[in-house]
Amino acid sequence: MTSAHFTSFIAIVALLIFSATTTSASPLAPRQLPSAKCSPNFEGAGVSVTNSAREWGVSAFNAGADVTSFSTRVGMLQNADFRFEQVGSPSPSYIIKEIDNNELVVGLSNQFLKLAAINAADLTQKWNVVCDTCDTGISQKKGLVATGCNITSITNNLCVQIGVQAKDVMFLAGCDNSDSQNFDFWTAIPW
């Protein structure tokens, strides 16, 4: 490399460094705004989880039962199916408990969602919930309390997805923003 090339090279590097430092400090440069996503504080309230057409449920009320998108409780949204309990902060994860039995939680068996006996050491029983909107004071409200939510396993960050048929077992899949992975949370609505 000749001294002329070396000088040109140094000038270009200096210009790039100057450009990068002044551009990022410029008030005209676009700023990255903090994410508007939220993780709801359910405050112990029982909830129903829905997508645009179905409500989460279970095939039976015992360990090993399938978690499906078919609630067997009487009256859609009249009766909560689950309790999402926060674990940790400021970035919480959740344990999803069956509403009538605090010893049964949603866990994984070969990437399928199943009810299981609670085990605090089992990471497949812990979930992330990230939503577009989250109400506050959820335990005091009736109706829609969180929307546009993705629920992911903390073990692999895959999204919970409903099956094709309502009674199909729910499973984990790569997150793709589809309706089958997009959920809303409701507290019980006395119709």
Side-chain angles (χ1 to χ4, degrees):
M1 179 183 290
T2 67
S3 65
H5 287 113
F6 183 74
T7 305
S8 296
F9 175 75
I10 296 296
I12 291 171
V13 169
L15 180 61
L16 288 173
I17 291 171
F18 176 77
S19 177
T21 58
T22 58
T23 301
S24 64
S26 166
L28 300 177
R31 291 178 33 178
Q32 292 293 325
L33 297 176
S35 172
K37 300 286 185 175
C38 56
S39 293
N41 181 349
F42 294 105
E43 303 172 343
V47 293
S48 294
V49 186
T50 65
N51 79 334
S52 64
R54 299 192 214 143
E55 180 180 357
W56 283 30
V58 294
S59 61
F61 299 98
N62 56 282
D66 297 335
V67 178
T68 69
S69 57
F70 181 77
S71 177
T72 57
R73 299 194 190 276
V74 177
M76 186 173 183
L77 303 180
Q78 287 181 335
N79 298 293
D81 296 282
F82 298 95
R83 190 176 319 279
F84 281 64
E85 291 187 5
Q86 280 185 301
V87 179
S89 65
S91 180
S93 60
Y94 300 81
I95 296 172
I96 307 171
K97 293 185 173 181
E98 201 283 319
I99 193 74
D100 292 326
N101 185 342
N102 281 330
E103 299 302 312
L104 290 177
V105 298
V106 175
L108 288 174
S109 177
N110 298 318
Q111 304 293 52
F112 291 96
L113 278 68
K114 303 275 188 177
L115 285 183
I118 193 168
N119 177 349
D122 185 353
L123 295 180
T124 70
Q125 296 180 359
K126 294 189 172 92
W127 305 90
N128 293 314
V129 178
V130 177
C131 304
D132 293 333
T133 67
C134 303
D135 282 357
T136 57
I138 288 175
S139 64
Q140 304 302 313
K141 296 190 176 177
K142 301 286 184 212
L144 188 62
V145 295
T147 63
C149 304
N150 287 120
I151 301 167
T152 58
S153 170
I154 68 163
T155 62
N156 56 21
N157 289 321
L158 293 175
C159 280
V160 171
Q161 182 168 322
I162 62 172
V164 174
Q165 302 296 319
K167 292 185 180 182
D168 289 348
V169 183
M170 294 172 62
F171 58 95
L172 294 182
C175 300
D176 62 11
N177 293 320
S178 65
D179 182 58
S180 59
Q181 297 178 353
N182 187 29
F183 301 103
D184 298 328
F185 288 87
W186 302 75
T187 55
I189 301 174
W191 298 104

